[in-house]
Amino acid sequence: MTVVEEEHPTVPLWRQGLRVFAENRLALVGAGMFVLLAALSFLGPLFYHTDQVHTDLTAVNLPAGSPGHPLGTDGVGYDQLGRLMLGGQTSIIVGLAAGVLATAVGTIWGAVAGFAGGWVDSAMMRVVDAMMSIPALFLFMLLAAIVTPSVPMLIFIIGAFAWLGPARLVRGEALSLRSREYVQAMRAMGGTGGRAVRSHIVPNAIGTVIVNATFQIADAILYVAYLSFLGLGVPPPAANWGGMLSDGLADTYSGHWWLLYPPGIAIILIVLAFNFIGDGLRDAFEVRLRRR
Amino acid sequence: MVRYLITRVGQALIVVALVTVIAFVILHLLPGGAARATLGKEATLDQLAAFNHTMGYDKPWIQQYLLYVQRLLHGDLGYSFQLNQSVLEAIVQRLPKTMVLSLLSTLLAVVVAIPLGVIQAVRRNRWPDYAITSLSLLAYATPIFFMGLLMIILFSQVWPILPPEAPQGFTVAEVLADPAGLVLPTITLAIVTVAVYSRYVRSAMVDNLNENYVRTARSKGLPERRVILTHTLRNGLFPIIGLLGMYLPALFSGALVVESLFNFPGMGQLFWQAALKRDYPILLGVTVIIAVATVVGSLVADLLYAAADPRVRLRRSAS
């Protein structure tokens, strides 16, 4: 394949990728699930007004299907459907933001380490090894015990330690990319290392990075759930699906199923959605590989 | 092999040293420092100064770090004033129980994941593969505590055959004396692990099934059963050894949640209660010990992997 063909393919690469993504039914299902859950959380409250700040002790634990409360109410009288919407906002925002933050930090770290090579690479990767050897949940809990958890804090805590996976991944890509001819040609013509990272390594690794980011988002949503279950989530009246689910655990024996299954199913659906999207994107980005 | 061994052990030592640096930094990130964390909100400035002096926290940072490492090397992980017990003592009581839970569930996961992965590889892109992949994804997407709760509802409430609580014994022997209580926590922790492992076995088997030696075996007229079970499986299993090490941090994270849910008095529960009570000496001590256990575990797994598969050590010492 010549350079001219590479620059003027008959169908733009991104459109081919989009087509592959669209042909992947599972990926479309994932995207659809995400859009529905996001619409429920962010647009739902515009049509379905509930008070999620003041408790109502005259209407606690109403079963699902009660007049005015299609999903019932919880132990302090919050409407469960409204709470599901509010909780979804937190879960989705923290998941997206922490996933993106982790991916950004990890990409830069990995690209620099992989491109620099030598002892810089060794030093940077040993730091990653050390942080990775502390199980993530232990680190998150340690930090959550030091600071007072709030939404920005949760994003920071999860983002600050979830970048290790992407860093390893991008470093591997960078190691193989930096020995490619076009990067060496640019270097021979006097291009700087920074330019190699900026204009060759990061753009070429972007497919791997984006695919990984979707899995990071899914994991971040699960981590918020775990922190909430362990009592270190966002305090009420704020809510997230993980917190609602762990509150619902206490009601298992009283048979209040409407407090347990809706947030549980919501978490499973959103994590599945991002996994489906990630699998679809991986196939879409492999278009580039297929053309070679 | 010797060269690989030296490189790998050297790396592990550096990583352990870095872990102590991280723990040390976190110790100094505590609001108001370690003195405030230990003595509480009511402590006067004089008391804080006295505590800092006794613990050596008024010395220069480098000296403090060396002191911290020196204490660690002597097994002094600090003292929990909330438990009124040394951190080391608290950990020694609980670590074996977490090990029992982790070992049992890993064993169960491996035993289940290998046949699943093999079935997926042999029937790839057909319904058995899709069915197992879907179930794995579903297991992966379910928060562990929700999975555990569903187990409790199913097997202790709807169909009451198993206790909903883990054994409460003080020693490992007492824990093992109550095998029924161990069933649900072990299965819960194993389910997510199975999802991860079976995926690896599947891809390792698929890679190997395309190799020339498999074609040779088939063309020799070996029955398909033997081609898969003796030739391919043996090579497909090597990556699992390495994976056991890589998966350790996730396994410990999972154990932390499972222990809290089933009220199993192991390391995870110790850590959880310390986090809720802001018992920093325990938090840091457990973090360091768990990290060292992870590093040693992955080191052992890597060395076993290299011993079993010469390609690994040749490839890695070359790069």
Side-chain angles (χ1 to χ4, degrees):
Chain A
M1 180 182 298
T2 64
V3 178
V4 181
E5 272 174 351
E6 187 70 56
E7 274 178 9
H8 304 281
T10 39
V11 182
L13 216 51
W14 64 268
R15 201 180 283 173
Q16 281 188 40
L18 201 66
R19 192 190 294 159
V20 175
F21 186 82
E23 279 168 4
N24 187 329
R25 254 183 266 157
L26 213 52
L28 279 185
V29 170
M33 279 157 67
F34 169 64
V35 169
L36 280 180
L37 288 167
L40 171 81
S41 305
F42 291 95
L43 301 179
L46 299 179
F47 305 101
Y48 183 75
H49 305 279
T50 53
D51 184 353
Q52 294 293 337
V53 178
H54 302 98
T55 55
D56 179 4
L57 296 180
T58 59
V60 296
N61 293 328
L62 294 179
S66 304
H69 301 292
L71 274 181
T73 59
D74 70 6
V76 288
Y78 289 134
D79 177 79
Q80 182 71 354
L81 181 58
R83 200 134 189 88
L84 210 55
M85 295 170 177
L86 182 73
Q89 293 177 10
T90 312
S91 287
I92 291 173
I93 288 176
V94 175
L96 282 176
V100 170
L101 178 67
T103 305
V105 176
T107 303
I108 295 168
W109 190 276
V112 171
F115 186 77
W119 68 268
V120 178
D121 175 37
S122 298
M124 286 174 89
M125 291 326 283
R126 286 304 86 72
V127 172
V128 172
D129 288 352
M131 288 174 76
M132 263 195 161
S133 65
I134 306 175
L137 204 51
F138 283 77
L139 261 178
F140 295 152
M141 282 183 74
L142 190 55
L143 289 179
I146 292 174
V147 299
T148 317
S150 60
V151 168
M153 240 350 155
L154 280 181
I155 294 172
F156 175 75
I157 289 176
I158 297 177
F161 287 96
W163 59 271
L164 305 164
R168 268 196 187 165
L169 204 67
V170 173
R171 179 217 173 224
E173 289 273 299
L175 270 182
S176 79
L177 283 170
R178 73 171 180 154
S179 55
R180 295 274 165 81
E181 289 86 350
Y182 56 87
V183 179
Q184 293 190 331
M186 187 221 79
R187 295 279 281 170
M189 284 184 271
T192 58
R195 180 163 167 195
V197 169
R198 232 180 7 258
S199 48
H200 291 296
I201 293 183
V202 171
N204 272 298
I206 204 88
T208 321
V209 168
I210 291 179
V211 170
N212 185 261
T214 55
F215 297 127
Q216 291 290 334
I217 294 168
D219 284 352
I221 292 173
L222 280 177
Y223 280 132
V224 181
Y226 290 142
L227 281 176
S228 308
F229 167 67
L230 296 165
L232 296 163
V234 204
N240 76 78
W241 286 339
M244 294 172 67
L245 178 55
S246 39
D247 288 345
L249 294 188
D251 285 294
T252 318
Y253 290 103
S254 25
H256 299 157
W257 59 268
W258 60 94
L259 297 182
L260 186 64
Y261 295 107
I265 292 168
I267 293 180
I268 295 178
L269 287 181
I270 193 114
V271 174
L272 275 181
F274 279 108
N275 275 294
F276 288 162
I277 296 173
D279 280 343
L281 283 177
R282 177 156 45 203
D283 292 347
F285 278 114
E286 271 173 9
V287 171
R288 199 183 64 195
L289 301 177
R290 222 176 291 156
R291 280 173 56 88
R292 281 202 178 122
Chain B
M1 184 67 195
V2 174
R3 201 173 142 205
Y4 177 71
L5 194 95
I6 294 171
T7 330
R8 198 59 194 77
V9 171
Q11 279 180 357
L13 285 177
I14 296 173
V15 168
V16 169
L18 281 173
V19 167
T20 62
V21 175
I22 295 173
F24 179 77
V25 170
I26 292 176
L27 185 75
H28 285 267
L29 280 180
L30 297 179
R36 184 62 82 186
T38 313
L39 300 180
K41 275 187 272 196
E42 315 284 312
T44 63
L45 285 178
D46 285 343
Q47 287 170 325
L48 291 179
F51 180 86
N52 279 336
H53 186 71
T54 343
M55 300 300 283
Y57 291 153
D58 49 356
K59 295 196 174 80
W61 274 60
I62 297 288
Q63 222 174 324
Q64 278 190 51
Y65 173 70
L66 293 176
L67 200 67
Y68 171 73
V69 172
Q70 199 189 0
R71 283 190 186 140
L72 274 186
L73 289 177
H74 286 89
D76 179 5
L77 290 165
Y79 193 85
S80 162
F81 292 95
Q82 302 205 15
L83 294 177
N84 197 16
Q85 193 178 28
S86 82
V87 173
L88 187 68
E89 204 183 322
I91 290 176
V92 166
Q93 276 173 11
R94 318 238 177 174
L95 187 62
K97 284 175 248 178
T98 298
M99 291 295 171
V100 167
L101 180 64
S102 311
L103 274 178
L104 282 178
S105 71
T106 302
L107 211 64
L108 178 65
V110 168
V111 168
V112 175
I114 290 173
L116 284 185
V118 171
I119 293 173
Q120 279 181 289
V122 175
R123 299 259 178 275
R124 64 181 172 282
N125 298 331
R126 271 182 284 169
W127 73 264
D129 184 19
Y130 291 135
I132 296 172
T133 305
S134 315
L135 284 178
S136 303
L137 262 175
L138 196 62
Y140 185 80
T142 311
I144 297 182
F145 60 93
F146 189 43
M147 180 77 77
L149 187 81
L150 294 177
M151 291 278 165
I152 293 177
I153 292 178
L154 207 59
F155 296 108
S156 320
Q157 239 187 334
V158 178
W159 190 33
I161 48 168
L162 288 166
E165 196 178 47
Q168 297 299 306
F170 189 70
T171 61
V172 174
E174 283 170 32
V175 166
L176 289 176
D178 180 13
L182 274 175
V183 175
L184 288 185
T186 307
I187 293 181
T188 306
L189 189 53
I191 286 180
V192 185
T193 318
V194 167
V196 177
Y197 284 7
S198 64
R199 254 203 139 146
Y200 268 80
V201 177
R202 177 190 185 275
S203 64
M205 287 294 287
V206 168
D207 286 350
N208 276 294
L209 281 172
N210 292 326
E211 295 274 344
N212 288 333
Y213 74 87
V214 172
R215 199 179 331 147
T216 311
R218 280 189 181 136
S219 56
K220 278 196 303 188
L222 280 186
E224 188 64 16
R225 207 186 154 75
R226 269 198 71 188
V227 173
I228 286 160
L229 292 184
T230 45
H231 288 66
T232 322
L233 185 60
R234 194 178 291 180
N235 283 301
L237 284 188
F238 289 142
I240 280 283
I241 308 175
L243 182 67
L244 289 178
M246 268 194 324
Y247 191 69
L248 271 183
L251 182 71
F252 286 140
S253 284
L256 169 60
V257 177
V258 169
E259 285 180 14
S260 321
L261 178 69
F262 288 96
N263 194 25
F264 185 64
M267 285 280 268
Q269 209 195 38
L270 177 70
F271 189 83
W272 175 44
Q273 281 165 357
L276 293 181
K277 289 187 212 141
R278 309 283 195 266
D279 188 349
Y280 297 109
I282 292 274
L283 288 177
L284 286 169
V286 172
T287 305
V288 170
I289 294 295
I290 286 278
V292 171
T294 311
V295 173
V296 172
S298 347
L299 179 67
V300 170
D302 267 14
L303 293 181
L304 283 178
Y305 186 16
D309 191 344
R311 286 170 299 180
V312 176
R313 53 178 190 263
L314 290 175
R315 196 168 54 226
R316 288 195 192 162
S317 49
S319 64

